[in-house]
Amino acid sequence: MEHILNPAQIDPAEHGAIFYAGGHGTMWDFADNQELAGIGAIYEADGIFGAVCHGLAALVNLNFQVGVVASERLVTG
């Protein structure tokens, strides 16, 4: 826990994946968070996004430059 970064400290170029955990508060905390939106560059660089439960709210307002999510990169369950 001592080495966890906050979103403003994350350089998307240095990471290949991000996971958004769920929970009730994420519906409001993730959707409009500009620092989290900046991490969207991980996906644009062929990285992996993972989310569970309400963690999907982090993806609501992202506008990816790559366009529509390609089915080859989408896994749901």
Side-chain angles (χ1 to χ4, degrees):
M1 298 296 291
E2 295 174 10
H3 304 288
I4 293 175
L5 302 175
N6 70 50
Q9 296 173 304
I10 295 173
D11 179 357
E14 294 181 8
H15 299 278
I18 186 165
F19 176 77
Y20 294 101
H24 179 74
T26 61
M27 291 297 293
W28 291 269
D29 296 339
F30 283 6
D32 294 318
N33 186 303
Q34 293 301 308
E35 292 173 342
L36 288 177
I39 300 171
I42 291 173
Y43 181 83
E44 292 175 329
D46 292 328
I48 298 169
F49 266 22
V52 67
C53 192
H54 290 82
L56 291 171
L59 308 178
V60 170
N61 291 319
L62 295 182
N63 294 313
F64 296 116
Q65 298 300 313
V66 294
V68 178
V69 175
S71 62
E72 299 85 37
R73 294 183 60 202
L74 180 63
V75 177
T76 64

